[in-house]
Amino acid sequence: MRLLAGMTQLASDRPDAVTVADATISAERLWGCARAVADEVAGAPVVAVHATATVETVVGMVGALLAGAAVVPVPPDSGPAERRHLLTDSGAALLLTTGPGAGTTPAGADTGTADGGPALPRVPVDLTRVSSTDRPAPAPTDTALVMYTSGTTGAPKGVLLSHRAVEAGIDALVDAWAWSPDDILVHGLPLFHVHGLVLGVFGALRTGCRLRHTGRPLPERYAAAGGTLYFGVPTVWSRICAQPGTARALADARLLVSGSAALPVPVFDRLHALTGHRPVERYGMTETLITVSSRADGPRRAGYVGFPLDGVSTRVVDEAGRDVPTDGESVGELRVRGPMLFDGYLNRPEATAAQLDADGWFRTGDIASVDPAGWHRIVGRASTDLIKSGGYRIGAGEVEDALLAHPGVREAAVVGRPHADLGEQVTAYVVADGVGEAELVDFVAGHLSVHKRPRQVRFVDALPRNAMGKVQKKLLADD
């Protein structure tokens, strides 16, 4: 099948094709085991996979794709209500179980019991079984993945990603990052998000490079992995920078890539100082895969996610849908169009129409600016990060970067709070040492336009984050 072209072409010379934690499997064995899984699940249109960080998960997903099924990754730490929704809403015909105890019920995974979901057949992924059965490749327009959004505005929605979209998304990154079979990809990200699964597993299999998944994204495991290409989220890079010796061990890598959330400028600078690498930043969503990125053969700027990938078009528009100036200062909603976009939300035509227009433009809901050279900068979400204060439109990300430039600030999140005169006031939540509110307000005003300074600074012990390191600002707003 085309999505996994690299693996099939290089099956004979990749004895260490995939390593997850302490388990390694050759490409030839992976292919044989995946074919055995395909034999077991053949005829199932939708297959859920208990997406643990294991070799079995990789084999199970590849096998389900070989069988022509759409794969639904199920987070292993999901609660009963979330599992019930994913399995019921997706219409999964069976659940592939993985990891230790795969032959028994993973905690809460059999939704035919206490959590009231469908009583799905459970099929353990068995790495002792192989098959040589050949199957026709799925059509490019067939659904490869049903990936569920975070559900920040209601129940999670199933995002339909075709084989063609996944292939286009990976191939655009192969071009941008000079990604080749000679690379050794290292990461420790979850196998149920775009970053860890589509880029971090299918990207490796499609290019034919080796994958070394560290099980968990611990700095010492990254340092010991000996990779050429590293993927991480900002939290991972921040923790690596906190261990200078560990960070310096990455100096021999070819490329460091950061995504899933904005990389703070101080972390970018620290990583550069310790490793000699300016990390590549990129932008994407579950619905769009990666659409904007810096390039391996080009410059990289802290705080910017680069340029549209090959085949991608972008627009930044105001509330009336008019293009804003590409002056690096004007902000608006980013819209993207390209071959890697999703086919819609499962069984939700109204939600699809609200996000994807007839001309193929996807409304990201993210606030961005573009400078005259075409550099894209993401300043936050429209719902939480576009602050309208005193007639000004202020991007929270710009204020956060200014706060993080202060040596006493370790973390910062900025939101707009209701204000009787201004409409909204810029309010900062800060994790800091030895600094007061007035000093930070003056510091920001000295770096940015005065109207962008925080009107209020709240000091907190930590910022609420999700599994991918993104700050959960709605929890701050409800504080």
Side-chain angles (χ1 to χ4, degrees):
M1 61 190 302
R2 294 189 307 166
L3 175 56
L4 307 176
M7 185 181 74
T8 59
Q9 293 169 2
L10 298 170
S12 63
D13 65 351
R14 281 290 187 264
D16 57 345
V18 174
T19 298
V20 183
D22 297 322
T24 297
I25 191 169
S26 70
E28 184 176 11
R29 186 76 183 183
L30 194 162
W31 197 241
C33 292
R35 284 172 168 157
V37 170
D39 290 345
E40 291 196 81
V41 306
V46 182
V47 171
V49 181
H50 190 233
T52 57
T54 60
V55 167
E56 286 87 347
T57 291
V58 178
V59 168
M61 290 190 179
V62 173
L65 291 174
L66 285 175
V71 171
V72 182
V74 178
D77 61 349
S78 57
E82 182 182 358
R83 280 193 300 275
R84 181 171 62 248
H85 173 70
L86 266 60
L87 297 176
T88 302
D89 186 72
S90 67
L94 57 88
L95 174 68
L96 286 174
T97 58
T98 62
T104 60
T105 305
D110 184 354
T111 57
T113 56
D115 54 12
L120 296 181
R122 290 173 288 113
V123 178
V125 176
D126 184 353
L127 299 185
T128 67
R129 297 185 66 250
V130 297
S131 171
S132 58
T133 304
D134 285 323
R135 299 178 181 278
T141 54
D142 286 351
T143 299
L145 297 167
V146 184
M147 302 193 74
Y148 278 79
T149 62
S150 60
T152 55
T153 55
K157 298 185 290 291
V159 174
L160 301 173
L161 294 168
S162 68
H163 285 261
R164 179 170 56 194
V166 176
E167 291 169 9
I170 293 170
D171 291 349
L173 294 176
V174 168
D175 172 67
W177 298 346
W179 196 348
S180 81
D182 295 329
D183 274 312
I184 299 172
L185 171 61
V186 175
H187 73 90
L189 304 172
L191 302 188
F192 46 88
H193 288 298
V194 164
H195 199 165
L197 176 60
V198 178
L199 279 61
V201 173
F202 295 136
L205 296 180
R206 182 160 175 78
T207 60
C209 80
R210 293 174 176 86
L211 168 62
R212 295 178 182 171
H213 190 287
T214 58
R216 296 173 60 196
L218 300 176
E220 57 271 21
R221 295 185 185 180
Y222 271 48
T228 64
L229 177 62
Y230 285 79
F231 291 169
V233 298
T235 301
V236 172
W237 296 123
S238 178
R239 291 172 180 172
I240 286 173
C241 287
Q243 300 180 23
T246 297
R248 293 187 185 102
L250 305 184
D252 292 335
R254 184 179 67 81
L255 205 65
L256 310 182
V257 179
S258 183
S260 297
L263 183 67
V265 171
V267 178
F268 182 105
D269 292 339
R270 181 67 170 158
L271 199 57
H272 180 215
L274 291 170
T275 68
H277 290 284
R278 288 183 171 88
V280 161
E281 295 187 67
R282 84 301 182 282
Y283 168 80
M285 300 178 69
T286 305
E287 293 91 337
T288 68
L289 302 183
I290 308 306
T291 52
V292 182
S293 178
S294 299
R295 296 182 58 89
D297 60 357
R300 298 148 214 174
R301 293 172 62 185
Y304 291 82
V305 293
F307 307 90
L309 294 173
D310 186 37
V312 174
S313 301
T314 64
R315 298 177 63 198
V316 178
V317 302
D318 62 18
E319 288 91 340
R322 298 169 300 202
D323 293 321
V324 304
T326 54
D327 55 11
E329 292 290 335
S330 301
V331 298
E333 184 193 23
L334 177 65
R335 297 186 180 179
V336 299
R337 182 169 64 182
M340 61 283 293
L341 266 62
F342 75 143
D343 289 330
Y345 296 110
L346 179 64
N347 298 325
R348 287 169 171 80
E350 296 85 1
T352 302
Q355 297 299 122
L356 188 65
D357 71 20
D359 294 323
W361 290 103
F362 180 79
R363 301 175 175 92
T364 67
D366 283 319
I367 301 304
S369 65
V370 180
D371 76 5
W375 284 93
H376 285 55
R377 175 181 173 87
I378 308 299
V379 298
R381 292 293 292 171
S383 58
T384 55
D385 295 321
L386 180 60
I387 302 169
K388 299 176 182 178
S389 181
Y392 294 101
R393 292 156 54 89
I394 302 166
E398 186 178 17
V399 184
E400 289 162 0
D401 283 345
L403 286 164
L404 288 167
H406 191 287
V409 175
R410 289 184 281 130
E411 296 183 72
V414 170
V415 299
R417 281 194 166 276
H419 188 275
D421 179 46
L422 299 171
E424 288 183 305
Q425 70 173 12
V426 179
T427 302
Y429 291 79
V430 173
V431 180
D433 301 306
V435 61
E437 179 177 25
E439 181 180 347
L440 288 181
V441 170
D442 290 343
F443 183 81
V444 173
H447 283 69
L448 303 176
S449 300
V450 173
H451 68 265
K452 296 178 180 179
R453 72 190 187 281
R455 297 278 178 158
Q456 184 180 54
V457 177
R458 296 190 177 191
F459 293 95
V460 295
D461 294 330
L463 299 177
R465 297 180 182 271
N466 65 14
M468 298 301 287
K470 293 182 180 179
V471 175
Q472 303 293 85
K473 289 192 175 182
K474 291 190 175 182
L475 299 180
L476 292 173
D478 291 339
D479 179 61

